[in-house]
């Protein structure tokens, strides 16, 4: 057993050195995707072979060993040569890719479209200081056109190449990798998980519609809002308008304008919760049936809470779209109208669905694209 561990370690070291030497020669004078250096270390876990289990074969014939060590090593060495530069002589690489494929990671499966071969290597990306950056599992696949040894070996060879082809996508779309790259001011090429930095301070404008609940019923509302927000606070000015029925033929028209502020609590990269309070001015016209209209106005303290989703659609501008739900409570709800000898409910609880846009004022730290927003 100790001899076997020693031979495996020696084989891995020899493969790593050979790949590094070949990569240095092949990439001399060639531009790469990333301005980083990398080295490949291939760890074989099955004596250079993988067991297959073709579904159609009887149980007695289902064990078939196919050597894939060479194909795997060559495919991923070529992928790394395109992505990274080799380290200079005597210097450690920026990244180390340790690739291993176990027997259980190379299988054939029977499906509706026929058999396919799958290869799923485990790739540990680490730094020269042995700090693990991420673990990647780019799964490659290929059609299995026959059950002969040559057909099976050809299918797994294509699956290995497909897995190596997917390495760039897996690398640039790993949040752990992207965070590591952004911290070093390296742009993840072709990444779909990075957004432009939201900015340490943003301005926003929203519009929406909802309903105002009063003691004598509901009234449809329209609203608009503008303001500024940081990562942990928001200040906003809101305006809302509605018309509610009064008795059988009259109505109450109201406009509500106010200023509010409060904290922002990020839930993840897209969702956040806001809450706070402010002071609003409510004014409008009361039009009773068959009577003269009355103008009114009053001040009312408010409290609000909102759930918001922010989305960057992939356009050139760093501006983001946002939508959500906001609920507001007015604490000074009623007004006395002596001419009518009545106390009327002007405002109460409102709820609105809003849609808007936000634009950053100041840039954010380099890795802000992956922080909770």
């Amino acid at each position: 057993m100790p001899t076997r561990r020693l031979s495996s370690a020696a084989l891995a070291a020899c493969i790593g050195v050979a790949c590094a030497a070949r990569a240095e020669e092949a990439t001399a004078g060639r531009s790469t995707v990333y301005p980083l250096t990398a080295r490949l270390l291939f760890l074989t876990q099955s004596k250079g072979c993988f067991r297959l289990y073709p579904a159609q074969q009887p149980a007695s014939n289902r064990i078939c060993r196919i050597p894939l060590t060479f194909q795997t090593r060559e495919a991923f060495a070529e992928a790394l040569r395109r992505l990274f530069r080799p380290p200079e002589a005597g210097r450690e690489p920026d990244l180390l890719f340790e690739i291993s494929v176990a027997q259980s990671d190379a299988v054939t499966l029977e499906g509706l479209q026929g058999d396919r071969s799958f290869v799923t290597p485990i790739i540990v990306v680490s730094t020269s200081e042995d700090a693990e950056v991420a673990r990647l599992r780019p799964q490659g696949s290929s059609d299995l056109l026959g059950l002969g040894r040559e057909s099976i070996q050809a299918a797994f060879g294509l699956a290995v190449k497909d897995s190596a082809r997917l390495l760039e996508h897996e690398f640039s779309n790993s949040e752990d990798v992207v965070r590591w790259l952004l911290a070093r001011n390296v742009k993840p090429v072709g990444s779909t998980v990075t957004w432009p930095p939201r900015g340490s301070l943003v301005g926003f404008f929203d519009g929406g519609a909802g309903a105002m609940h009063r003691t004598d019923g509901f009234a449809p509302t329209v609203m608009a809002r503008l303001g500024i927000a940081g990562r942990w606070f928001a200040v906003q000015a809101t305006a809302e308008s509605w018309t509610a029925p009064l008795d059988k033929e009259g109505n109450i028209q109201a406009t509500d304008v106010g200023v509010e502020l409060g904290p922002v609590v990020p839930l993840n990269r897209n969702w956040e919760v806001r809450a706070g309070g402010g002071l609003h001015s409510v004014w409008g016209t009361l039009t009773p049936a068959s009577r003269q209209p009355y103008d009114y106005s009053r001040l009312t303290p408010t409290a609000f809470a909102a759930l918001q989703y922010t989305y960057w659609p992939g356009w050139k501008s760093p501006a983001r779209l946002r939508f959500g739900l906001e609920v507001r409570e007015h604490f000074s709800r009623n007004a006395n109208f002596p001419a009518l000898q009545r106390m009327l409910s002007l405002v109460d609880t409102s709820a609105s669905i809003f849609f808007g846009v936000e634009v950053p004022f100041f840039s954010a730290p380099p890795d802000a694209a992956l922080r909770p927003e």
Side-chain angles (χ1 to χ4, degrees):
M1 185 64 71
T3 304
R4 181 174 301 176
R5 286 198 296 267
L6 178 61
S7 61
S8 297
L11 176 60
C14 291
I15 290 175
V17 172
C19 289
R22 181 173 298 182
E24 184 172 359
E25 179 181 354
T27 57
R30 183 194 303 177
S31 62
T32 57
V33 175
Y34 291 98
L36 301 169
T37 60
R39 178 173 295 157
L40 171 66
L41 181 61
F42 183 83
L43 305 176
T44 180
Q45 295 185 0
S46 55
K47 298 182 180 180
C49 297
F50 301 105
R51 278 185 286 189
L52 317 179
Y53 298 91
Q56 298 93 332
Q57 291 192 13
S60 59
N61 298 331
R62 285 187 183 177
I63 297 180
C64 175
R65 292 187 176 273
I66 301 297
L68 286 180
T69 303
F70 178 77
Q71 293 96 318
T72 306
R73 183 179 68 244
E74 289 298 303
F76 281 95
E78 176 62 28
L80 259 65
R81 284 195 290 267
R82 193 176 70 83
L83 294 174
F84 307 100
R85 295 180 288 106
E88 297 179 1
R91 300 194 62 178
E92 293 294 329
D94 297 314
L95 292 172
L96 180 65
F97 286 73
E98 299 181 12
I99 301 178
S100 61
V101 184
Q103 293 177 355
S104 60
D105 297 323
V107 299
T108 60
L109 296 177
E110 182 180 9
L112 297 177
Q113 305 298 325
D115 287 344
R116 290 184 65 83
S117 60
F118 294 88
V119 173
T120 310
I122 301 174
I123 304 176
V124 179
V125 184
S126 59
T127 65
S128 57
E129 293 81 16
D130 294 329
E132 182 174 314
V133 176
R135 288 179 177 253
L136 311 178
R137 296 178 65 91
Q139 184 182 77
S141 64
S142 176
D143 291 326
L144 183 61
L145 302 180
L147 298 180
R149 181 181 180 84
E150 293 184 358
S151 297
I152 295 175
Q153 185 166 350
F156 272 96
L158 292 175
V160 165
K161 291 181 179 179
D162 186 45
S163 176
R165 179 183 60 83
L166 294 174
L167 173 62
E168 180 178 354
H169 178 270
E170 292 287 323
F171 182 82
S172 64
N173 287 282
S174 164
E175 291 198 1
D176 291 331
V177 169
V178 169
R179 188 177 291 107
W180 186 89
L181 292 174
L182 291 177
R184 289 154 182 79
N185 294 319
V186 178
K187 179 182 178 181
V189 178
S191 178
T192 60
V193 300
T194 56
W195 291 1
R198 187 179 183 185
S200 54
L201 188 67
V202 300
F204 58 86
F205 175 79
D206 304 320
M212 173 67 69
H213 173 260
R214 299 165 55 249
T215 56
D216 51 356
F218 289 88
T221 65
V222 293
M223 59 84 67
R225 174 176 54 236
L226 60 85
I228 58 174
R231 290 196 172 274
W232 304 104
F233 76 94
V235 179
Q236 61 186 28
T238 67
E240 197 167 12
S241 179
W242 66 94
T243 299
L246 176 65
D247 300 328
K248 294 183 178 180
E249 299 179 1
N251 63 71
I252 298 178
Q253 185 277 327
T255 300
D256 176 8
V257 175
V259 177
E260 300 167 324
L261 59 88
V264 175
V265 180
L267 301 180
N268 56 30
R269 293 176 53 214
N270 307 101
W271 290 95
E272 68 181 31
V273 173
R274 300 193 314 273
L279 185 65
H280 282 231
S281 174
V282 181
W283 72 86
T285 302
L286 173 67
T287 307
S290 304
R291 292 195 182 186
Q292 179 181 354
Y294 298 93
D295 294 331
Y296 66 89
S297 65
R298 68 182 301 117
L299 293 176
T300 174
T302 61
F304 75 94
L307 176 66
Q308 175 183 293
Y309 181 87
T310 307
Y311 172 71
W312 182 66
W315 50 31
K316 294 182 179 180
S317 170
R320 304 186 182 208
L321 301 178
R322 41 189 271 152
F323 62 89
L325 173 67
E326 184 175 71
V327 178
R328 179 172 290 102
E329 180 74 16
H330 300 76
F331 294 103
S332 182
R333 306 180 178 116
N334 303 323
N336 184 29
F337 291 89
L340 300 178
Q341 298 181 352
R342 294 177 62 180
M343 181 75 73
L344 296 178
S345 172
L346 300 178
V347 292
D348 199 336
T349 304
S350 65
S352 301
I353 296 175
F354 63 87
F355 179 85
V357 63
E358 67 176 38
V359 180
F361 289 147
F362 302 105
S363 61
D367 61 341
L370 290 177
R371 290 180 178 174
E373 302 177 350

